[in-house]
Every structure is written in C-alpha cells, then in structure tokens.
Amino acid sequence: MAQAAPGKMLDCPPWKAEAHGPGFSVPAGACDAHFHIFWEGERFPYVQGRSYTPPDAPLKAFQRLQRILGTERAVIVHPSVYGTDNRASLEAMELAGPSWRGIVVVPPDIPAPELKAMHDLGVRGVRINLLFAGGTSDEGLEKLARKIEPLGWHVQLLIDVSAFPDVRKRLGALPVPVVFDHMGMMPAAKGMEHPGFQDMLALLGEGKAWVKLSGAYRITAQKNAPYEDVTPIARKIAATNPDQCVWGSDWPHPHCPVPMPDDGDLLDMLAIHVPDEAERNRILVENPARLYGFPR
C-alpha cells in the first residue's frame, strides 16, 4: 500500500492556549503518549509536498499543557512534515530529559548505530504514516521491523484499518509489537463490524498490538467533544484488552478536521471511554511504562 498522495497543503489553525484541567484525579506518573513539537524558524525545515503546515508548537507550550493536565511523562511522535529528519523531535527529547520517550520516522536502510544512538536518548519505536504526505511508505515495513527487533522497539502505524489490506495477517506476522494510532483511524460511521476494525481488535486481544485511545476528533462525524459517535468504538477497544491501551492528547492537533478541541475535554473523554478508575490509571501509568520503558 503506497503512502497517501499529496493533496492541497493546509495551513493549520493554532491550538487552544487556555486548556482547562481534567475533571477527574490524574494519577502520579500519568503519560501523554502522543503529541508533536513544531519549532519556530527555519532550523528544522518542513519537507516539500507535505499535506499541511503546522502552527508553531514549542516545547515550553507543551510543558505548560502537561502542568495543566497533570501528566508527568510524555512520548513525542515525529510528524510527517519533517520527513525522516528527526532532529526536531530528538532535540526536544534532549531538552525535556528522562521523563520523555520518542517515536521516530526512518528509512528501512538506516544504519544500526544511528538506531542505537536514538535508543540511548529514549526512542522506543518507528512510525509508518500512510495518511499524510511526507510520511513513509510501508514497502520496507518487514525489513524495518527486523532491524528494530534487537532494540525491543515497536512499529507505530498511522493507517485507516478499514483501508489497509490484511491487517491481521500482515501485521500479526511482524517480529515486533504494533501500535495503532488514533484507534485505527477508521471513520466511526463505518461501524465496528468492519473487517479491518475487527482484525485490529483481534491483534489487540491476542496481545500482538496496542491501541492509542487518542484522536477521537479525527474519526468522528460530529463537530464538538465528547464526539459521542466514537464512544462505543473507544469502549470496545478498551474492553478488548485494557492492558494494551495508552492515551494521548495528539497536541497541537495538526490537520484537525473539526473545530480546535480543548485538551482538557480530550482527557475528560478518557473517563467516558474508561469509567473504571483502576483500568484508567493503568492506561495512563502502568501501560505506557511497559510499552515505552519508563521506570516502574
């Protein structure tokens, strides 16, 4: 399956600077397992032919959001607009320190010493993005999986599971775990009985995959939180294997298809999707500690 074809470049609106705090008690060690940093200026240039141009989203702004939401750990995900130039994300990790982990975008022929250097900094996975121009293709997926296996990394996929062929067969055969971005990115209107969604659930239930309870606003047909059409999907995912789910804000919400959400609302939605406090705390603390290698 080839990467998404470049379309009209979108200038993204800015994120909401004044998010509210969550309406439930966030446990110590909670992790935001999906966000991006977009540096100002031209030191880290964006790739040509990208799908969108993001708003400035500096490190200090995200750290302020962490204080508001009560998260202490974080996993930065390298975005498509930088291509395979990971310097922007790696520099943010260096500045933030050991409470951060990272997911990078690399070509299948990357030398092993480069991967080891990234691992020492806190990188724990590679991302394949098939939805936005500037991402990579899946043509070298198996080769890349074999290359990262000795490091204990995983493959993180931004795909629409309803459009990816042989989800269970192909991804289940990889020698490393698979992490599905944004609940599999299948439009909620397609329904949970879709074979691609069922394949993702099967991999999740078998312990071969993880799913991020994030990006509800990317798959909804509604304009405003709590995006009730996504609630059954999120609850089904969490019920299938709550020990292999993590939560992420997806800040600063680039290429956002609905009115810009408040990050406090997005975290509050986790309490709707996972009402049980003990399960919710595992999703926020214990699960990301296992997946990303945080101290426990």
Short mmCIF file of all heavy atoms in Angstrom, two decimals, residues 158-212:
data_model
loop_
_atom_site.label_atom_id
_atom_site.label_comp_id
_atom_site.label_asym_id
_atom_site.label_seq_id
_atom_site.Cartn_x
_atom_site.Cartn_y
_atom_site.Cartn_z
N LEU A 158 0.14 4.87 11.49
CA LEU A 158 -0.98 5.78 11.24
C LEU A 158 -1.62 5.32 9.94
O LEU A 158 -1.20 5.70 8.84
CB LEU A 158 -0.51 7.23 11.13
CG LEU A 158 -1.63 8.25 10.89
CD1 LEU A 158 -2.65 8.24 12.02
CD2 LEU A 158 -1.06 9.65 10.70
N ILE A 159 -2.60 4.46 10.08
CA ILE A 159 -3.31 3.91 8.93
C ILE A 159 -4.80 3.91 9.25
O ILE A 159 -5.20 3.92 10.42
CB ILE A 159 -2.87 2.47 8.60
CG1 ILE A 159 -3.11 1.54 9.80
CG2 ILE A 159 -1.41 2.43 8.17
CD1 ILE A 159 -2.90 0.06 9.50
N ASP A 160 -5.61 3.87 8.22
CA ASP A 160 -7.03 3.61 8.36
C ASP A 160 -7.19 2.10 8.23
O ASP A 160 -6.98 1.53 7.16
CB ASP A 160 -7.80 4.35 7.26
CG ASP A 160 -9.29 4.07 7.26
OD1 ASP A 160 -9.74 3.13 7.95
OD2 ASP A 160 -10.03 4.77 6.54
N VAL A 161 -7.54 1.43 9.33
CA VAL A 161 -7.59 -0.02 9.31
C VAL A 161 -8.66 -0.56 8.36
O VAL A 161 -8.61 -1.73 7.97
CB VAL A 161 -7.80 -0.61 10.72
CG1 VAL A 161 -6.59 -0.32 11.60
CG2 VAL A 161 -9.08 -0.09 11.36
N SER A 162 -9.60 0.30 7.98
CA SER A 162 -10.63 -0.15 7.03
C SER A 162 -10.12 -0.11 5.60
O SER A 162 -10.79 -0.62 4.69
CB SER A 162 -11.88 0.72 7.15
OG SER A 162 -11.63 2.06 6.71
N ALA A 163 -8.93 0.49 5.38
CA ALA A 163 -8.38 0.61 4.03
C ALA A 163 -7.06 -0.14 3.86
O ALA A 163 -6.52 -0.19 2.76
CB ALA A 163 -8.18 2.09 3.67
N PHE A 164 -6.52 -0.69 4.94
CA PHE A 164 -5.24 -1.40 4.89
C PHE A 164 -5.52 -2.88 4.67
O PHE A 164 -6.25 -3.50 5.45
CB PHE A 164 -4.48 -1.19 6.20
CG PHE A 164 -3.06 -1.67 6.18
CD1 PHE A 164 -2.03 -0.82 5.81
CD2 PHE A 164 -2.75 -2.97 6.52
CE1 PHE A 164 -0.71 -1.26 5.80
CE2 PHE A 164 -1.43 -3.43 6.52
CZ PHE A 164 -0.41 -2.56 6.14
N PRO A 165 -4.95 -3.48 3.62
CA PRO A 165 -5.26 -4.89 3.33
C PRO A 165 -4.60 -5.84 4.32
O PRO A 165 -3.45 -5.63 4.74
CB PRO A 165 -4.70 -5.09 1.91
CG PRO A 165 -3.62 -4.06 1.78
CD PRO A 165 -4.06 -2.88 2.60
N ASP A 166 -5.31 -6.89 4.69
CA ASP A 166 -4.76 -7.98 5.51
C ASP A 166 -4.18 -7.48 6.83
O ASP A 166 -3.04 -7.82 7.19
CB ASP A 166 -3.70 -8.75 4.73
CG ASP A 166 -4.24 -9.39 3.45
OD1 ASP A 166 -5.39 -9.85 3.49
OD2 ASP A 166 -3.52 -9.40 2.45
N VAL A 167 -4.94 -6.67 7.56
CA VAL A 167 -4.44 -6.10 8.80
C VAL A 167 -3.93 -7.18 9.74
O VAL A 167 -2.78 -7.14 10.20
CB VAL A 167 -5.55 -5.28 9.51
CG1 VAL A 167 -5.13 -4.90 10.92
CG2 VAL A 167 -5.88 -4.03 8.70
N ARG A 168 -4.75 -8.19 10.01
CA ARG A 168 -4.37 -9.21 10.99
C ARG A 168 -3.24 -10.10 10.47
O ARG A 168 -2.27 -10.38 11.19
CB ARG A 168 -5.57 -10.05 11.35
CG ARG A 168 -5.30 -11.04 12.49
CD ARG A 168 -6.57 -11.79 12.85
NE ARG A 168 -6.36 -12.66 14.00
CZ ARG A 168 -7.31 -13.46 14.48
NH1 ARG A 168 -8.52 -13.48 13.93
NH2 ARG A 168 -7.06 -14.23 15.53
N LYS A 169 -3.33 -10.52 9.22
CA LYS A 169 -2.35 -11.44 8.68
C LYS A 169 -0.99 -10.79 8.54
O LYS A 169 0.03 -11.32 8.99
CB LYS A 169 -2.83 -11.97 7.32
CG LYS A 169 -1.87 -12.95 6.67
CD LYS A 169 -2.42 -13.43 5.33
CE LYS A 169 -1.45 -14.41 4.66
NZ LYS A 169 -1.97 -14.86 3.34
N ARG A 170 -0.94 -9.61 7.93
CA ARG A 170 0.35 -8.99 7.66
C ARG A 170 0.99 -8.42 8.92
O ARG A 170 2.16 -8.65 9.19
CB ARG A 170 0.20 -7.89 6.61
CG ARG A 170 1.54 -7.30 6.22
CD ARG A 170 1.45 -6.32 5.10
NE ARG A 170 2.79 -5.84 4.77
CZ ARG A 170 3.04 -4.78 4.03
NH1 ARG A 170 2.04 -4.09 3.52
NH2 ARG A 170 4.28 -4.40 3.78
N LEU A 171 0.22 -7.68 9.70
CA LEU A 171 0.81 -7.03 10.87
C LEU A 171 1.05 -8.03 12.00
O LEU A 171 1.99 -7.88 12.77
CB LEU A 171 -0.10 -5.89 11.33
CG LEU A 171 -0.34 -4.80 10.28
CD1 LEU A 171 -1.22 -3.69 10.86
CD2 LEU A 171 0.97 -4.22 9.76
N GLY A 172 0.22 -9.05 12.08
CA GLY A 172 0.41 -10.05 13.10
C GLY A 172 1.64 -10.91 12.88
O GLY A 172 2.12 -11.56 13.81
N ALA A 173 2.16 -10.90 11.66
CA ALA A 173 3.35 -11.69 11.34
C ALA A 173 4.65 -10.95 11.62
O ALA A 173 5.73 -11.55 11.52
CB ALA A 173 3.32 -12.11 9.87
N LEU A 174 4.57 -9.67 11.96
CA LEU A 174 5.79 -8.91 12.23
C LEU A 174 6.46 -9.41 13.51
O LEU A 174 5.79 -9.86 14.44
CB LEU A 174 5.45 -7.42 12.37
CG LEU A 174 4.95 -6.71 11.11
CD1 LEU A 174 4.59 -5.27 11.43
CD2 LEU A 174 5.99 -6.75 9.99
N PRO A 175 7.79 -9.32 13.59
CA PRO A 175 8.50 -9.81 14.77
C PRO A 175 8.49 -8.84 15.95
O PRO A 175 9.11 -9.13 16.98
CB PRO A 175 9.92 -10.01 14.25
CG PRO A 175 10.08 -8.97 13.19
CD PRO A 175 8.73 -8.87 12.53
N VAL A 176 7.83 -7.71 15.81
CA VAL A 176 7.76 -6.70 16.87
C VAL A 176 6.30 -6.31 17.10
O VAL A 176 5.44 -6.52 16.24
CB VAL A 176 8.58 -5.44 16.50
CG1 VAL A 176 10.05 -5.78 16.35
CG2 VAL A 176 8.03 -4.78 15.23
N PRO A 177 5.98 -5.74 18.27
CA PRO A 177 4.61 -5.29 18.51
C PRO A 177 4.22 -4.17 17.55
O PRO A 177 5.06 -3.44 17.01
CB PRO A 177 4.66 -4.76 19.95
CG PRO A 177 5.86 -5.40 20.56
CD PRO A 177 6.85 -5.56 19.46
N VAL A 178 2.92 -4.04 17.34
CA VAL A 178 2.35 -2.98 16.51
C VAL A 178 1.51 -2.07 17.39
O VAL A 178 0.76 -2.56 18.26
CB VAL A 178 1.48 -3.58 15.39
CG1 VAL A 178 0.75 -2.47 14.63
CG2 VAL A 178 2.33 -4.40 14.43
N VAL A 179 1.64 -0.76 17.20
CA VAL A 179 0.82 0.22 17.92
C VAL A 179 -0.01 0.97 16.90
O VAL A 179 0.53 1.57 15.97
CB VAL A 179 1.70 1.19 18.73
CG1 VAL A 179 0.83 2.25 19.41
CG2 VAL A 179 2.53 0.44 19.75
N PHE A 180 -1.33 0.93 17.07
CA PHE A 180 -2.23 1.62 16.16
C PHE A 180 -2.51 3.03 16.68
O PHE A 180 -3.01 3.20 17.80
CB PHE A 180 -3.56 0.86 16.01
CG PHE A 180 -3.44 -0.43 15.26
CD1 PHE A 180 -3.28 -1.63 15.93
CD2 PHE A 180 -3.49 -0.44 13.87
CE1 PHE A 180 -3.19 -2.84 15.24
CE2 PHE A 180 -3.40 -1.64 13.16
CZ PHE A 180 -3.23 -2.83 13.85
N ASP A 181 -2.20 4.02 15.87
CA ASP A 181 -2.54 5.40 16.20
C ASP A 181 -4.05 5.62 16.16
O ASP A 181 -4.76 5.06 15.30
CB ASP A 181 -1.92 6.36 15.17
CG ASP A 181 -0.50 6.74 15.49
OD1 ASP A 181 -0.02 6.40 16.58
OD2 ASP A 181 0.14 7.40 14.64
N HIS A 182 -4.53 6.47 17.05
CA HIS A 182 -5.86 7.07 16.97
C HIS A 182 -6.98 6.05 16.71
O HIS A 182 -7.80 6.21 15.80
CB HIS A 182 -5.88 8.15 15.89
CG HIS A 182 -4.78 9.18 16.05
ND1 HIS A 182 -4.32 9.57 17.29
CD2 HIS A 182 -4.06 9.88 15.13
CE1 HIS A 182 -3.37 10.48 17.13
NE2 HIS A 182 -3.18 10.67 15.85
N MET A 183 -6.93 4.96 17.50
CA MET A 183 -7.99 3.95 17.46
C MET A 183 -8.15 3.31 16.09
O MET A 183 -9.22 2.82 15.73
CB MET A 183 -9.32 4.55 17.95
CG MET A 183 -9.28 4.95 19.41
SD MET A 183 -10.83 5.58 20.08
CE MET A 183 -10.65 7.35 19.77
N GLY A 184 -7.09 3.33 15.30
CA GLY A 184 -7.12 2.71 13.98
C GLY A 184 -7.56 3.62 12.86
O GLY A 184 -7.59 3.21 11.69
N MET A 185 -7.91 4.86 13.19
CA MET A 185 -8.24 5.90 12.21
C MET A 185 -9.38 5.54 11.25
O MET A 185 -9.52 6.13 10.19
CB MET A 185 -7.00 6.29 11.41
CG MET A 185 -6.10 7.30 12.10
SD MET A 185 -6.85 8.93 12.34
CE MET A 185 -6.89 9.57 10.67
N MET A 186 -10.19 4.58 11.62
CA MET A 186 -11.35 4.25 10.79
C MET A 186 -12.49 5.20 11.11
O MET A 186 -12.83 5.38 12.28
CB MET A 186 -11.80 2.82 11.04
CG MET A 186 -12.97 2.38 10.17
SD MET A 186 -13.67 0.78 10.67
CE MET A 186 -14.57 1.26 12.17
N PRO A 187 -13.10 5.85 10.10
CA PRO A 187 -14.25 6.71 10.38
C PRO A 187 -15.31 5.97 11.19
O PRO A 187 -15.69 4.83 10.86
CB PRO A 187 -14.76 7.08 8.99
CG PRO A 187 -13.55 6.98 8.11
CD PRO A 187 -12.76 5.83 8.67
N ALA A 188 -15.80 6.61 12.23
CA ALA A 188 -16.77 5.96 13.11
C ALA A 188 -18.02 5.50 12.36
O ALA A 188 -18.64 4.50 12.73
CB ALA A 188 -17.15 6.91 14.25
N ALA A 189 -18.35 6.22 11.30
CA ALA A 189 -19.56 5.90 10.55
C ALA A 189 -19.50 4.53 9.89
O ALA A 189 -20.54 3.96 9.54
CB ALA A 189 -19.81 6.98 9.50
N LYS A 190 -18.31 3.98 9.72
CA LYS A 190 -18.20 2.67 9.07
C LYS A 190 -18.64 1.53 9.98
O LYS A 190 -18.93 0.43 9.50
CB LYS A 190 -16.77 2.43 8.59
CG LYS A 190 -16.39 3.31 7.40
CD LYS A 190 -15.06 2.87 6.79
CE LYS A 190 -14.73 3.68 5.55
NZ LYS A 190 -13.47 3.23 4.91
N GLY A 191 -18.65 1.76 11.29
CA GLY A 191 -19.16 0.76 12.21
C GLY A 191 -18.13 -0.26 12.64
O GLY A 191 -17.20 -0.59 11.90
N MET A 192 -18.32 -0.77 13.85
CA MET A 192 -17.32 -1.65 14.46
C MET A 192 -17.28 -3.04 13.85
O MET A 192 -16.36 -3.81 14.12
CB MET A 192 -17.59 -1.76 15.96
CG MET A 192 -17.27 -0.48 16.72
SD MET A 192 -17.42 -0.70 18.51
CE MET A 192 -19.20 -0.87 18.69
N GLU A 193 -18.25 -3.39 13.01
CA GLU A 193 -18.23 -4.71 12.38
C GLU A 193 -17.35 -4.75 11.15
O GLU A 193 -17.17 -5.82 10.55
CB GLU A 193 -19.66 -5.14 12.01
CG GLU A 193 -20.58 -5.30 13.21
CD GLU A 193 -19.99 -6.22 14.27
OE1 GLU A 193 -19.49 -7.31 13.91
OE2 GLU A 193 -20.00 -5.85 15.46
N HIS A 194 -16.78 -3.64 10.78
CA HIS A 194 -15.91 -3.63 9.60
C HIS A 194 -14.77 -4.62 9.81
O HIS A 194 -14.16 -4.68 10.88
CB HIS A 194 -15.35 -2.23 9.36
CG HIS A 194 -14.67 -2.09 8.03
ND1 HIS A 194 -13.43 -2.61 7.77
CD2 HIS A 194 -15.08 -1.50 6.88
CE1 HIS A 194 -13.10 -2.35 6.52
NE2 HIS A 194 -14.08 -1.67 5.96
N PRO A 195 -14.41 -5.42 8.79
CA PRO A 195 -13.37 -6.43 8.95
C PRO A 195 -12.02 -5.86 9.38
O PRO A 195 -11.30 -6.50 10.18
CB PRO A 195 -13.27 -7.06 7.55
CG PRO A 195 -14.63 -6.84 6.94
CD PRO A 195 -15.09 -5.53 7.48
N GLY A 196 -11.66 -4.68 8.90
CA GLY A 196 -10.38 -4.09 9.30
C GLY A 196 -10.35 -3.75 10.77
O GLY A 196 -9.34 -3.98 11.46
N PHE A 197 -11.44 -3.23 11.28
CA PHE A 197 -11.53 -2.92 12.71
C PHE A 197 -11.51 -4.20 13.53
O PHE A 197 -10.85 -4.28 14.57
CB PHE A 197 -12.78 -2.10 13.00
CG PHE A 197 -12.89 -1.63 14.42
CD1 PHE A 197 -12.18 -0.52 14.85
CD2 PHE A 197 -13.70 -2.29 15.33
CE1 PHE A 197 -12.26 -0.08 16.17
CE2 PHE A 197 -13.80 -1.86 16.64
CZ PHE A 197 -13.08 -0.75 17.06
N GLN A 198 -12.22 -5.22 13.07
CA GLN A 198 -12.24 -6.50 13.78
C GLN A 198 -10.85 -7.15 13.79
O GLN A 198 -10.46 -7.76 14.79
CB GLN A 198 -13.26 -7.43 13.13
CG GLN A 198 -14.71 -7.04 13.39
CD GLN A 198 -15.07 -7.09 14.86
OE1 GLN A 198 -14.76 -8.06 15.54
NE2 GLN A 198 -15.73 -6.06 15.36
N ASP A 199 -10.11 -6.98 12.70
CA ASP A 199 -8.74 -7.50 12.68
C ASP A 199 -7.87 -6.80 13.71
O ASP A 199 -7.05 -7.44 14.40
CB ASP A 199 -8.13 -7.31 11.29
CG ASP A 199 -8.54 -8.40 10.31
OD1 ASP A 199 -9.22 -9.35 10.72
OD2 ASP A 199 -8.16 -8.29 9.12
N MET A 200 -8.02 -5.48 13.83
CA MET A 200 -7.26 -4.74 14.83
C MET A 200 -7.62 -5.23 16.24
O MET A 200 -6.72 -5.44 17.08
CB MET A 200 -7.52 -3.24 14.71
CG MET A 200 -6.72 -2.40 15.71
SD MET A 200 -7.08 -0.63 15.62
CE MET A 200 -8.71 -0.59 16.39
N LEU A 201 -8.89 -5.41 16.49
CA LEU A 201 -9.32 -5.92 17.80
C LEU A 201 -8.74 -7.30 18.07
O LEU A 201 -8.35 -7.61 19.20
CB LEU A 201 -10.85 -5.98 17.88
CG LEU A 201 -11.61 -4.65 17.95
CD1 LEU A 201 -13.11 -4.94 18.08
CD2 LEU A 201 -11.13 -3.79 19.10
N ALA A 202 -8.67 -8.13 17.04
CA ALA A 202 -8.13 -9.47 17.23
C ALA A 202 -6.66 -9.41 17.63
O ALA A 202 -6.22 -10.10 18.55
CB ALA A 202 -8.30 -10.28 15.94
N LEU A 203 -5.88 -8.57 16.95
CA LEU A 203 -4.47 -8.41 17.29
C LEU A 203 -4.31 -7.86 18.71
O LEU A 203 -3.43 -8.28 19.46
CB LEU A 203 -3.78 -7.49 16.28
CG LEU A 203 -3.59 -8.05 14.87
CD1 LEU A 203 -3.03 -6.97 13.95
CD2 LEU A 203 -2.67 -9.26 14.88
N LEU A 204 -5.18 -6.91 19.05
CA LEU A 204 -5.16 -6.34 20.40
C LEU A 204 -5.48 -7.41 21.43
O LEU A 204 -4.78 -7.54 22.45
CB LEU A 204 -6.16 -5.19 20.48
CG LEU A 204 -6.35 -4.52 21.84
CD1 LEU A 204 -5.08 -3.79 22.27
CD2 LEU A 204 -7.53 -3.53 21.77
N GLY A 205 -6.51 -8.18 21.19
CA GLY A 205 -6.91 -9.22 22.13
C GLY A 205 -5.87 -10.31 22.29
O GLY A 205 -5.73 -10.91 23.37
N GLU A 206 -5.13 -10.58 21.22
CA GLU A 206 -4.08 -11.61 21.26
C GLU A 206 -2.79 -11.09 21.90
O GLU A 206 -1.84 -11.86 22.08
CB GLU A 206 -3.78 -12.09 19.84
CG GLU A 206 -4.94 -12.84 19.19
CD GLU A 206 -4.79 -12.97 17.68
OE1 GLU A 206 -3.76 -12.49 17.15
OE2 GLU A 206 -5.70 -13.53 17.04
N GLY A 207 -2.75 -9.80 22.23
CA GLY A 207 -1.56 -9.23 22.82
C GLY A 207 -0.47 -8.89 21.83
O GLY A 207 0.66 -8.58 22.22
N LYS A 208 -0.78 -8.91 20.52
CA LYS A 208 0.22 -8.60 19.49
C LYS A 208 0.21 -7.13 19.11
O LYS A 208 1.08 -6.69 18.35
CB LYS A 208 -0.04 -9.45 18.24
CG LYS A 208 0.13 -10.94 18.46
CD LYS A 208 -0.14 -11.72 17.19
CE LYS A 208 0.07 -13.21 17.41
NZ LYS A 208 -0.22 -14.00 16.18
N ALA A 209 -0.77 -6.39 19.60
CA ALA A 209 -0.89 -4.98 19.23
C ALA A 209 -1.32 -4.15 20.42
O ALA A 209 -1.87 -4.67 21.40
CB ALA A 209 -1.88 -4.81 18.08
N TRP A 210 -1.04 -2.86 20.31
CA TRP A 210 -1.51 -1.85 21.25
C TRP A 210 -2.34 -0.84 20.46
O TRP A 210 -2.16 -0.70 19.25
CB TRP A 210 -0.33 -1.12 21.88
CG TRP A 210 0.58 -1.94 22.72
CD1 TRP A 210 1.41 -2.95 22.30
CD2 TRP A 210 0.77 -1.82 24.14
NE1 TRP A 210 2.11 -3.46 23.37
CE2 TRP A 210 1.75 -2.78 24.50
CE3 TRP A 210 0.24 -0.99 25.11
CZ2 TRP A 210 2.19 -2.94 25.82
CZ3 TRP A 210 0.68 -1.14 26.43
CH2 TRP A 210 1.63 -2.11 26.77
N VAL A 211 -3.23 -0.14 21.16
CA VAL A 211 -4.04 0.88 20.51
C VAL A 211 -4.01 2.16 21.34
O VAL A 211 -4.13 2.11 22.57
CB VAL A 211 -5.50 0.42 20.32
CG1 VAL A 211 -6.34 1.53 19.69
CG2 VAL A 211 -5.56 -0.84 19.45
N LYS A 212 -3.83 3.28 20.67
CA LYS A 212 -3.87 4.57 21.34
C LYS A 212 -5.31 5.10 21.37
O LYS A 212 -5.94 5.26 20.33
CB LYS A 212 -2.97 5.58 20.63
CG LYS A 212 -1.50 5.24 20.76
CD LYS A 212 -0.61 6.37 20.27
CE LYS A 212 0.85 6.05 20.51
NZ LYS A 212 1.75 7.15 20.12
#
